[in-house]
Amino acid sequence: MKSPRRTTLCFMIMVIHSSQATLNLNLESVVHPLILREHGLAEEDPLRQKRAVATNSAAAEEYTVDIEIGFENASFLEPTKAYLNSLSFPLQGNSAGQATHILSIAVTTVCRPSGNEIWCSCETGYKWPQEKCLHSITCQEHDSSLTGHRCSCLKGLPSKGPFCQLQGDVTLRMSVRLDVGFQEELRNSSSALYRSYKTDLETAFRKGYSILPGFKLVTVTEFRPGSVVVDYEIKTMTPSLELMHRANEQVVKNLNHTYKVDDNSFHVVNNNETKLSVVPKTILEGDTVTVVCENEILSSNVSWYDVKTGSKIQNSSRFSINTSVLNNMTSVSHLIIYNVTRGDAGEYICKLTLDIFEYWAKIKIDVKPIQILASEKTKVMCDNNPVFLNCCSESNANWSAIEWKQEGKISIQGNTETDMGSSCSRYTLKADGTQCPSGSAGTTVTYTCEFISTHGARGSRNIEVTFTSVANLTITPDPISVSEGQNFSIKCSSDVSNYDEVYWNTSAGIKIYQRFYTARRYPDKAESVLTVKTATREWNGTYRCIFRYKSSYSVVTKDVTVHPLPLETNIVVDPLEATVSCKGSHRFQCCIEEDEDYRVTFQMDSITFPAAKEVNGKQVCYTYNFKASSVPWCSQKVDVFCRFTNTANNSVQSPSMKVHLVPEENIACQDPIIGAGEPEKVVQKLCQFSDIPSSPAGPTGGILTYKCVGSQWKVKRNDCIFAPINSLLQLAKALIKSPSQDQKLPKYLKNLSISTGKVQNEVKSSPGSLGAIISILDLLSTVPNQVNSDMMKHVLSTVNIILSKPILNTWKVFQQQRTNQSSQLLDSVERFSRAFQSEGNAISSVLHPHVQMKSMVVKSGHPNIYEQSFVFSDSDLRGSVVIDTCQLEHLQPGLSVVTMAFPTIKTILAQDALGKNFADSLVMTTTVRHNITTPFRISMTFGNSNLLNRKLQCVFWNFDLANRTGGWDSSGCYVTKHYENSVSCSCDHLTSFSILMSPDSPDPGSLLKILLDIISYIGLCFSILSLAACLVVEAVVWKSVTKNRTSYMRHICIVNIAASLLVADIWFIVATAIHDYYYPLNETACVAATFFIHFFYLSVFFWMLTLGLMLLYRLVFILHDTSKSIQKTIAFSLGYGCPLVISVITVAATQPQEVYMRKNACWLNWEDTKALLAFVIPALIIVVVNVTTTVVVITKILRPSIGDKPSKQEKNSLFQISKSIGVLTPLLGLTWGFGLATVFQGNNAVFHIVFTLLNAFQGLFILLFGCLWDQKVQEALLNKFSLSRWSSQHSKSTSLGSSTPVFSMSSPISRRFNNLFGKTGTYNVSTPETTSSSFENTSSAYSLLN
């Protein structure tokens, strides 16, 4: 075919040739070239002879001839087909002498143009041979809608080999109705009537249907009533509709008219032409099933039937039928069943109806249930160990996905491993405990494995997983709802005491900074308390308390609701103070940096005024125009404040605004911004509300101070803060309240460094901005637990700027105001350095012109010597620090030792307390991350060209001096070498006690210091030995000297006084070892030493009080006699009970805040809490009471009242007691007097010497005057050791107790003695009884006081 637009018709002619002669068939005479044109037939290309058969047989032969006809006009196609179908067969041939008949002509192949291509399709009953389908391009390859359609259309007519071929035999099930009455004999196949009907009908059928292609036979199968319905079957090839109609007409003609055939009742059922397929092949419950019905009969009249119900299927929500004719060649109908169920299983029929033909096919659908096999209920311990959940499908279907889902109070995700080949999936859970809430029963989460097929089926199985935490945690049950600025706390308790770590974080996993919570361990439980003193909106959310033990975690959560409310510090008011005339007015305003729904009122005294709201950018101000005439009073000072109330009905009060109402005639200065004022009036005003221009960076901070001079306001002091620095200051205040402040700190420090560099020139003239930067560093230095190199670089970059020489003049303002900004800066930098940790083992350094830092990480094993040098060429200053290896070995490996040097900070640090000394060298500070509990000594060298002819002293900056403003202190530091241009110092991190107690104490190595040390050592040794000897003597003579109750109670007191002093001296030695010899764990030991020294020294005084009260009782209550057991109970309760109560209360009230002891001595604190008064006040009161008691008792003994008749022995004992108390108590008071004298600066060295002597030999005084001076004791000893020659000697004596060595100055022991109220001195009274019947010879006892 030369033209792609040509239409080709191929048909087949069947010819029967019968001749006795040899057949010589010339097909060219029959199959001649034809071309149909509009006006007739004309010759075209020679036709291809597809097949010709010749035989020499004389019998009749049948031939099949293929003929191809081409049409230039496609409109000739249908008329030609109609013409061929209208022919009556057989046709007689014209060959002479030969009998040739054309039996039939059938159209087999039609080629039509389709776009630029030719598509060739087979007619009904024909198909392309298999080899043509395999090696040719089919039309279906260009139309996906024909998927599954068999080969019936090719692209182009094959160049070689056959056209469409006749299909195989088909069995047509047909029926026709005879309009005659039905007789029952027709049901019986053996009846004559049945055989007659069958024979006549089959004969007529055979004659009529013989024209069908491939006709073989016809058989009547059944007769049915209605008139008479004849069912029969024809075995033939698929006929065309036209041919079947012609055959039916032949049947009617050949059948006797008595059968009355209904011409319109012929019905044909063909099962072979309909093909059914189903997708998917394996159907699961829930799939979307598509049944495809294909037929080459072009008809859209397709119906579907459910065999099980016998009903016709209609379109609905679950069924969809879509029928179409594809390319005018194939009829395709789709039955779609959505979400198929097992009830949908069964047979389905697709039926296509075309005229008398009915094409149908039946298919069976099997629906399988989805069977999922999964793990049973599982318990998971939140210990970070993996747990596997398994899920498999029994059906090895075409699964597209296997998904895991979870539902429960907590969300713990896992990892999925899926093997589609085996239809199995494994879900691995690994709960680390941070996600597991605590609870004895655990928390159950339902995990669902869901299998999803390609066609929509879904099968799932639930697995219940119970997560159990290691410990059972409970948390504060009450809901927490607060407003900003309020405090709240959450208590989290564990029922087990073992844990490795406890911490808090948010639901987003952000760890709460540890300064906000505490953790305590008890024998059978543990608890952690999250405490927020000032809540901000950042605290709104869910918080988790987490206890970790090894790899197991226990978690409990708590929701916190924080309602918006401005913090008092964030409310800016204007004016701070104002003077208003009694007839004038003034505008008050309170401003915040947020626009929330607050109810705001102003309050003056008891009067409340409404506030008007003004919004200016981000700032919202609430104002009130006050008129003095609206109040009933004048010439009065009142406070005005505004109150903010939020939706939770919580309120906050702004800082007060001071208002002074004065008569109008008193007003001298008047300004619309500053306001009114009296002469010489000084007022302060926030810089942002003054006439200073505003900045786009934010409001200006700080305060301006004005003074009314004449009639004009003059600026007295400018403390304004530049807007960028003020914004950073406000952010710093907010940062330290943030739960994640440590995470925000690095970025903030970087911004601070950049902003400070940008405003460096402005800071030179702004003390307020400089002070703000120092305040920022001070605030931020309290935040970090660890500072990295980048953070430290930003800190030192900022410090370098504010210590630069151009800004030093600004520091002079602070020095004139005697503020502590310089000390504050140094303290802040030291806090940062203590938190610094170098990355790796490298030596870190930061070098700036005005600050340098060098650090080293301590290595394990044998660390290298620490040696760092600093040189500042511009200042001609240099220095070095050396720490030897033996010192570093005591440090934990991995710690950083950091040294920083400052060349200019010396000029801004204050002078010493007396203003006599000042630092004139490099200032270096060396820090270690953790507290040091072992000896640690540092050697330093300071280089300076101006060191000749000067008295030098190595000092350190003591932040606690001068009311915590700081000052230079030389304790613990001393000069080791002095060269022409350098000085070497050795300093100890632990401060000397005596130096701290007595500022004017002698220098180390001085003669006075050595003398005091010798006195302290000797006195303490004598005291301990004497007290031990006293206890031994009392034990030996006890039965001899305790014959009456008075003597018994006196010796009870003496023994307890001696025992208390002895134990106190022992603890005194412990305290000395702690601070002078660096006993390990010195902090804990120092607390214990302080407590026991306090307790036992108080016991000495209270036993003295007991002795005095017992004396008073024996003389005043003569007629009252108390048993010995009651007296002992009272004595011990007073002697030990009262000191114990005082000591316990003191340590309990101060130690939690770590202000129980002094920072420089193991003794009660004075600077912070005045805890020392817990010893001083009871001691001095007892001294006064005992002196008073002695006077009363002696007076009563000398002048007895009528009726007072104590026995001679009792009276003698009482008088001996009186003598002892009279001597001992003034001595105790005297020693304390000398101790007080050593505190004051500039005192004479004599006070130190006298005080040390009196206290060091206190134990010896107790032995001599409280024990051996007693005549009864002497006699008992003589009798005990058979020294009767001394028994007649009578001497009356009074025992004198001396004070313990408490206030001596020098180290190691004498330094404790000189601590006023620093190492307690107690004073004990004892009086020996005498056996003499008189008490006249007593005067010699008082000579010891002279």
Side-chain angles (χ1 to χ4, degrees):
M1 290 176 292
K2 299 178 179 178
S3 173
R5 304 302 301 171
R6 175 177 293 183
T7 300
T8 302
L9 175 66
C10 301
F11 59 93
M12 177 183 67
I13 301 177
M14 295 184 65
V15 180
I16 296 179
H17 175 73
S18 178
S19 175
Q20 298 296 326
T22 302
L23 176 63
N24 184 11
L25 180 63
N26 185 2
L27 292 178
E28 294 298 330
S29 62
V30 180
V31 187
H32 50 83
L34 291 176
I35 181 167
L36 293 179
R37 303 184 185 276
E38 292 186 14
H39 301 289
L41 298 175
E43 185 177 356
E44 200 223 10
D45 297 335
L47 296 176
R48 294 174 294 165
Q49 179 181 330
K50 297 298 180 182
R51 187 174 62 173
V53 180
T55 180
N56 293 325
S57 174
E61 300 291 341
E62 180 178 305
Y63 301 91
T64 301
V65 181
D66 291 337
I67 300 175
E68 177 183 330
I69 300 177
F71 302 95
E72 288 188 354
N73 192 331
S75 62
F76 292 141
L77 176 62
E78 294 302 326
T80 302
K81 291 174 64 177
Y83 170 75
L84 292 176
N85 290 330
S86 65
L87 295 176
S88 297
F89 298 96
L91 297 177
Q92 298 295 325
N94 298 323
S95 298
Q98 298 176 345
T100 302
H101 303 279
I102 300 175
L103 301 179
S104 65
I105 298 176
V107 178
T108 62
T109 309
V110 178
C111 295
R112 295 182 178 87
S114 177
N116 294 326
E117 299 174 341
I118 296 295
W119 284 10
C120 297
S121 60
C122 298
E123 289 292 282
T124 303
Y126 296 86
K127 67 178 179 180
W128 289 106
Q130 185 67 23
E131 64 272 13
K132 292 300 178 183
C133 292
L134 294 176
H135 299 93
S136 303
I137 301 176
T138 63
C139 307
Q140 289 78 7
E141 294 181 12
H142 302 273
D143 191 346
S144 59
S145 64
L146 293 174
T147 301
H149 188 269
R150 64 180 181 273
C151 178
S152 61
C153 177
L154 296 181
K155 183 181 177 184
L157 189 66
S159 59
K160 296 180 181 180
F163 299 118
C164 295
Q165 301 297 303
L166 188 66
Q167 295 180 5
D169 293 343
V170 296
T171 299
L172 302 179
R173 292 186 292 111
M174 298 186 63
S175 64
V176 65
R177 187 175 70 252
L178 307 179
D179 291 332
V180 295
F182 182 81
Q183 301 180 44
E184 290 299 322
E185 293 182 15
L186 292 176
R187 298 183 185 273
N188 185 2
S189 60
S190 301
S191 66
L193 184 61
Y194 181 93
R195 288 196 299 270
S196 175
Y197 268 61
K198 179 177 174 63
T199 301
D200 293 344
L201 289 171
E202 286 182 350
T203 300
F205 289 158
R206 193 177 300 111
K207 292 179 180 180
Y209 294 122
S210 62
I211 66 173
L212 298 180
F215 173 78
K216 291 184 177 181
L217 59 89
V218 59
T219 304
V220 174
T221 59
E222 186 183 11
F223 295 99
R224 294 182 286 116
S227 305
V228 175
V229 178
V230 182
D231 292 335
Y232 56 98
E233 292 181 351
I234 301 175
K235 189 172 184 181
T236 182
M237 294 182 182
T238 304
S240 64
L241 180 61
E242 295 81 358
L243 193 58
M244 181 57 73
H245 276 297
R246 292 210 315 259
N248 290 337
E249 292 173 358
Q250 293 296 325
V251 169
V252 174
K253 290 180 181 180
N254 293 325
L255 189 63
N256 193 312
H257 294 291
T258 59
Y259 285 99
K260 297 182 181 180
V261 176
D262 186 349
D263 296 348
N264 298 321
S265 65
F266 284 97
H267 182 71
V268 183
V269 177
N270 186 354
N271 295 341
N272 295 353
E273 294 296 323
T274 303
K275 303 298 180 183
L276 284 179
S277 61
V278 63
V279 178
K281 292 183 178 180
T282 301
I283 301 173
L284 302 174
E285 283 187 281
D287 270 337
T288 295
V289 179
T290 301
V291 185
V292 181
C293 179
E294 295 180 90
N295 202 309
E296 294 182 358
I297 304 304
L298 304 183
S299 174
S300 60
N301 185 16
V302 180
S303 301
W304 291 85
Y305 297 89
D306 186 347
V307 175
K308 183 168 57 178
T309 62
S311 60
K312 183 179 180 180
I313 300 174
Q314 304 290 340
N315 281 313
S316 64
S317 60
R318 294 197 61 243
F319 296 94
S320 174
I321 299 175
N322 181 23
T323 303
S324 61
V325 177
L326 300 179
N327 300 316
N328 202 29
M329 292 183 290
T330 305
S331 174
V332 180
S333 181
H334 295 84
L335 170 64
I336 302 175
I337 307 175
Y338 299 102
N339 193 21
V340 68
T341 65
R342 298 187 68 184
D344 296 323
E347 293 182 328
Y348 289 84
I349 293 177
C350 170
K351 183 183 295 185
L352 182 147
T353 303
L354 178 63
D355 202 287
I356 64 172
F357 278 88
E358 183 180 279
Y359 302 89
W360 67 274
K362 183 165 60 176
I363 192 171
K364 184 177 182 180
I365 294 177
D366 291 325
V367 180
K368 295 183 178 181
I370 300 177
Q371 298 290 340
I372 306 297
L373 303 178
S375 305
E376 299 299 328
K377 294 182 179 180
T378 304
K379 287 187 177 181
V380 175
M381 184 68 69
C382 299
D383 54 4
N384 213 30
N385 290 322
V387 175
F388 304 105
L389 306 181
N390 296 307
C391 213
C392 293
S393 169
E394 286 187 345
S395 304
N396 194 12
N398 185 21
W399 300 111
S400 62
I402 303 177
E403 297 179 353
W404 287 84
K405 302 175 183 178
Q406 60 172 307
E407 182 178 356
K409 294 182 179 179
I410 60 177
S411 175
I412 300 179
Q413 302 292 335
N415 296 322
T416 303
E417 299 177 28
T418 300
D419 182 7
M420 290 298 187
S422 61
S423 298
C424 288
S425 180
R426 184 170 73 175
Y427 197 67
T428 304
L429 292 172
K430 195 173 183 180
D432 62 0
T434 59
Q435 302 160 299
C436 297
S438 64
S440 57
T443 299
T444 299
V445 177
T446 301
Y447 287 86
T448 302
C449 65
E450 185 175 35
F451 286 71
I452 304 173
S453 76
T454 307
H455 300 279
R458 291 176 178 263
S460 62
R461 180 70 178 271
N462 294 336
I463 305 174
E464 291 186 357
V465 178
T466 302
F467 292 92
T468 306
S469 58
V470 177
N472 181 27
L473 301 185
T474 57
I475 201 164
T476 303
D478 299 330
I480 298 179
S481 177
V482 297
S483 294
E484 285 189 276
Q486 295 180 332
N487 63 75
F488 70 87
S489 64
I490 309 174
K491 184 178 180 181
C492 170
S493 300
S494 169
D495 58 358
V496 295
S497 60
N498 285 338
Y499 65 85
D500 294 329
E501 182 186 13
V502 58
Y503 59 94
W504 294 72
N505 65 12
T506 66
S507 56
I510 300 175
K511 200 168 184 178
I512 303 300
Y513 188 44
Q514 65 181 18
R515 71 186 295 181
F516 292 107
Y517 59 87
T518 60
R520 297 188 66 181
R521 195 191 311 267
Y522 298 96
D524 57 345
K525 65 175 183 177
E527 69 179 26
S528 179
V529 180
L530 175 67
T531 303
V532 179
K533 296 181 179 179
T534 304
T536 62
R537 263 172 277 191
E538 282 193 72
W539 287 97
N540 190 72
T542 301
Y543 293 88
R544 304 193 297 178
C545 171
I546 303 170
F547 278 77
R548 181 182 67 83
Y549 178 66
K550 295 181 180 179
S551 60
S552 301
Y553 296 81
S554 299
V555 184
V556 66
T557 61
K558 187 66 180 179
D559 293 331
V560 175
T561 302
V562 180
H563 301 280
L565 188 67
L567 301 178
E568 181 182 355
T569 55
N570 293 339
I571 303 173
V572 291
V573 298
D574 182 59
L576 298 177
E577 51 184 323
T579 300
V580 182
S581 68
C582 295
K583 297 181 180 179
S585 63
H586 201 91
R587 185 174 185 265
F588 295 93
Q589 62 179 340
C590 297
C591 300
I592 56 176
E593 295 290 328
E594 57 180 343
D595 189 5
E596 293 285 346
D597 185 19
Y598 297 128
R599 187 172 68 255
V600 184
T601 57
F602 281 84
Q603 187 167 337
M604 176 183 292
D605 201 18
S606 59
I607 304 175
T608 301
F609 307 100
K613 183 177 179 180
E614 297 179 359
V615 180
N616 183 15
K618 293 183 179 180
Q619 191 175 66
V620 179
C621 293
Y622 296 87
T623 63
Y624 176 72
N625 291 317
F626 169 70
K627 294 183 179 179
S629 59
S630 62
V631 295
W633 21 257
C634 190
S635 299
Q636 183 174 343
K637 293 183 179 180
V638 293
D639 290 338
V640 178
F641 59 85
C642 52
R643 183 179 298 277
F644 289 76
T645 305
N646 63 4
T647 54
N649 206 29
N650 293 319
S651 61
V652 63
Q653 183 175 300
S654 71
S656 64
M657 294 169 276
K658 309 293 183 181
V659 180
H660 187 196
L661 299 174
V662 298
E664 188 172 1
E665 56 270 16
N666 293 349
I667 301 298
C669 297
Q670 188 75 40
D671 185 89
I673 297 177
I674 305 172
E678 301 168 285
E680 302 300 316
K681 177 69 174 179
V682 176
V683 297
Q684 292 181 327
K685 194 170 186 69
L686 293 178
C687 296
Q688 72 177 91
F689 297 118
S690 65
D691 54 0
I692 294 179
S694 60
S695 169
T700 303
I703 294 175
L704 273 171
T705 303
Y706 294 93
K707 183 177 182 179
C708 181
V709 179
S711 61
Q712 299 292 326
W713 289 106
K714 303 292 184 182
V715 176
K716 183 180 180 182
R717 179 174 168 182
N718 186 341
D719 290 322
C720 290
I721 304 172
F722 289 112
I725 302 299
N726 183 56
S727 297
L728 286 174
L729 178 60
Q730 302 308 317
L731 289 176
K733 293 178 180 179
L735 185 143
I736 62 172
K737 299 181 180 70
S738 171
S740 56
Q741 51 191 256
D742 53 335
Q743 300 178 24
K744 297 179 179 180
L745 183 61
K747 183 178 180 181
Y748 184 93
L749 290 175
K750 181 179 180 180
N751 293 336
L752 175 63
S753 174
I754 295 173
S755 298
T756 305
K758 290 180 179 179
V759 298
Q760 180 176 358
N761 293 329
E762 289 81 355
V763 173
K764 289 189 296 186
S765 59
S766 175
S769 297
L770 177 60
I773 295 173
I774 297 169
S775 297
I776 291 172
L777 290 173
D778 183 51
L779 288 171
L780 300 184
S781 65
T782 62
V783 172
N785 279 329
Q786 183 170 316
V787 173
N788 58 34
S789 297
D790 290 338
M791 295 167 65
M792 201 67 188
K793 288 178 183 178
H794 296 316
V795 171
L796 295 183
S797 174
T798 303
V799 173
N800 177 68
I801 293 173
I802 62 177
L803 289 181
S804 61
K805 292 181 179 179
I807 300 182
L808 291 181
N809 290 330
T810 310
W811 283 95
K812 293 181 180 179
V813 176
F814 299 144
Q815 290 178 312
Q816 294 170 359
Q817 298 169 358
R818 304 188 67 83
T819 55
N820 68 332
Q821 273 84 352
S822 57
S823 180
Q824 189 179 24
L825 173 64
L826 187 61
D827 192 21
S828 302
V829 175
E830 284 194 9
R831 283 197 291 267
F832 277 114
S833 67
R834 280 192 291 271
F836 177 73
Q837 183 64 46
S838 298
E839 291 83 356
N841 296 323
I843 296 178
S844 301
S845 63
V846 179
L847 305 178
H848 289 290
H850 308 294
V851 60
Q852 293 181 8
M853 184 204 79
K854 295 182 180 181
S855 70
M856 183 189 79
V857 178
V858 178
K859 298 181 180 179
S860 58
H862 300 283
N864 299 326
I865 189 172
Y866 179 79
E867 185 173 6
Q868 306 291 352
S869 299
F870 303 91
V871 176
F872 295 90
S873 55
D874 294 343
S875 306
D876 193 23
L877 296 175
R878 61 190 182 278
S880 64
V881 175
V882 177
I883 304 175
D884 58 29
T885 303
C886 65
Q887 302 289 331
L888 297 175
E889 287 177 347
H890 297 290
L891 298 179
Q892 180 181 348
L895 291 181
S896 293
V897 182
V898 183
T899 300
M900 287 185 288
F902 309 87
T904 57
I905 201 171
K906 58 184 174 58
T907 61
I908 62 176
L909 289 172
Q911 296 177 344
D912 66 0
L914 298 178
K916 298 183 296 184
N917 302 314
F918 58 94
D920 192 20
S921 65
L922 197 64
V923 176
M924 294 186 293
T925 173
T926 301
T927 57
V928 180
R929 182 173 176 84
H930 293 292
N931 293 332
I932 302 172
T933 58
T934 55
F936 203 84
R937 194 166 294 278
I938 305 174
S939 299
M940 293 171 286
T941 300
F942 299 88
N944 194 333
S945 59
N946 187 23
L947 295 177
L948 290 176
N949 302 321
R950 299 182 63 179
K951 182 180 178 181
L952 301 176
Q953 188 177 18
C954 297
V955 294
F956 75 99
W957 187 259
N958 188 340
F959 295 100
D960 295 325
L961 294 182
N963 196 22
R964 291 190 175 274
T965 60
W968 293 112
D969 195 338
S970 63
S971 57
C973 295
Y974 55 90
V975 177
T976 57
K977 294 180 182 179
H978 187 183
Y979 301 100
E980 181 178 350
N981 294 322
S982 65
V983 173
S984 294
C985 296
S986 181
C987 285
D988 195 324
H989 283 285
L990 298 177
T991 307
S992 171
F993 304 136
S994 61
I995 293 297
L996 289 180
M997 288 305 302
S998 180
D1000 285 346
S1001 58
D1003 293 331
S1006 66
L1007 180 61
L1008 179 58
K1009 174 187 176 299
I1010 295 173
L1011 177 61
L1012 293 174
D1013 278 347
I1014 293 173
I1015 294 173
S1016 298
Y1017 279 115
I1018 295 173
L1020 187 59
C1021 292
F1022 272 104
S1023 184
I1024 293 175
L1025 293 175
S1026 299
L1027 291 170
C1030 180
L1031 294 175
V1032 172
V1033 170
E1034 287 289 340
V1036 171
V1037 304
W1038 184 261
K1039 292 184 179 180
S1040 301
V1041 298
T1042 57
K1043 294 181 178 180
N1044 60 61
R1045 292 179 185 175
T1046 304
S1047 295
Y1048 178 82
M1049 291 306 300
R1050 183 181 72 83
H1051 282 278
I1052 285 288
C1053 294
I1054 291 294
V1055 168
N1056 282 281
I1057 289 171
S1060 298
L1061 281 173
L1062 179 60
V1063 176
D1065 284 343
I1066 293 173
W1067 275 106
F1068 184 79
I1069 294 174
V1070 173
T1072 302
I1074 291 170
H1075 272 283
D1076 286 332
Y1077 300 102
Y1078 308 102
Y1079 190 82
L1081 303 177
N1082 59 351
E1083 183 176 354
T1084 304
C1086 195
V1087 172
T1090 302
F1091 175 80
F1092 286 113
I1093 291 172
H1094 184 202
F1095 170 69
F1096 284 109
Y1097 280 158
L1098 277 180
S1099 296
V1100 173
F1101 276 97
F1102 274 94
W1103 277 108
M1104 287 291 299
L1105 178 63
T1106 302
L1107 194 62
L1109 294 178
M1110 183 266 294
L1111 174 63
L1112 187 63
Y1113 166 76
R1114 295 302 302 163
L1115 290 179
V1116 175
F1117 301 98
I1118 298 174
L1119 300 178
H1120 188 275
D1121 194 10
T1122 306
S1123 67
K1124 187 185 296 183
S1125 60
I1126 294 178
Q1127 291 187 41
K1128 281 202 300 182
T1129 301
I1130 295 173
F1132 277 93
S1133 299
L1134 190 61
Y1136 290 119
C1138 292
L1140 182 62
V1141 171
I1142 295 172
S1143 301
V1144 170
I1145 291 175
T1146 304
V1147 70
T1150 57
Q1151 180 57 26
Q1153 290 78 33
E1154 297 184 355
V1155 287
Y1156 177 55
M1157 305 175 302
R1158 301 185 182 189
K1159 296 180 176 61
N1160 49 20
C1162 290
W1163 186 230
L1164 299 173
N1165 188 289
W1166 175 256
E1167 293 85 357
D1168 299 314
T1169 59
K1170 302 296 186 292
L1172 184 58
L1173 294 176
F1175 171 72
V1176 174
I1177 293 176
L1180 294 180
I1181 290 175
I1182 290 172
V1183 170
V1184 173
V1185 170
N1186 277 357
V1187 170
T1188 304
T1189 301
T1190 301
V1191 173
V1192 172
V1193 170
I1194 292 175
T1195 302
K1196 190 165 184 64
I1197 290 176
L1198 294 177
R1199 297 179 182 179
S1201 302
I1202 298 175
D1204 294 347
K1205 297 178 180 181
S1207 68
K1208 183 179 291 186
Q1209 185 178 10
E1210 293 250 348
K1211 193 170 184 179
N1212 189 38
S1213 297
L1214 291 174
F1215 194 70
Q1216 292 295 337
I1217 293 171
S1218 301
K1219 289 192 296 180
S1220 296
I1221 293 175
V1223 172
L1224 289 177
T1225 303
L1227 181 59
L1228 290 170
L1230 186 60
T1231 59
W1232 278 96
F1234 281 104
L1236 287 169
T1238 62
V1239 178
F1240 301 104
Q1241 299 178 8
N1243 56 44
N1244 196 289
V1246 175
F1247 288 101
H1248 291 283
I1249 296 173
V1250 173
F1251 177 70
T1252 303
L1253 282 170
L1254 292 175
N1255 286 278
F1257 293 95
Q1258 185 174 1
L1260 180 60
F1261 295 157
I1262 294 291
L1263 174 63
L1264 294 177
F1265 303 124
C1267 182
L1268 296 180
W1269 201 5
D1270 189 340
Q1271 185 175 356
K1272 293 184 64 177
V1273 173
Q1274 295 173 12
E1275 291 177 353
L1277 289 174
L1278 290 174
N1279 292 332
K1280 189 73 175 178
F1281 297 103
S1282 301
L1283 298 177
S1284 58
R1285 58 190 177 90
W1286 289 350
S1287 62
S1288 60
Q1289 297 180 8
H1290 298 279
S1291 63
K1292 301 197 176 178
S1293 61
T1294 306
S1295 65
L1296 177 64
S1298 63
S1299 61
T1300 54
V1302 182
F1303 295 115
S1304 169
M1305 302 182 294
S1306 307
S1307 65
I1309 296 178
S1310 61
R1311 288 199 296 262
R1312 308 300 179 283
F1313 296 163
N1314 234 333
N1315 259 334
L1316 173 61
F1317 313 131
K1319 290 296 172 287
T1320 60
T1322 54
Y1323 308 89
N1324 308 309
V1325 179
S1326 63
T1327 54
E1329 295 187 39
T1330 178
T1331 56
S1332 172
S1333 60
S1334 69
F1335 45 87
E1336 298 172 357
N1337 188 16
T1338 60
S1339 60
S1340 62
Y1342 295 100
S1343 63
L1344 295 174
L1345 299 176
N1346 296 331

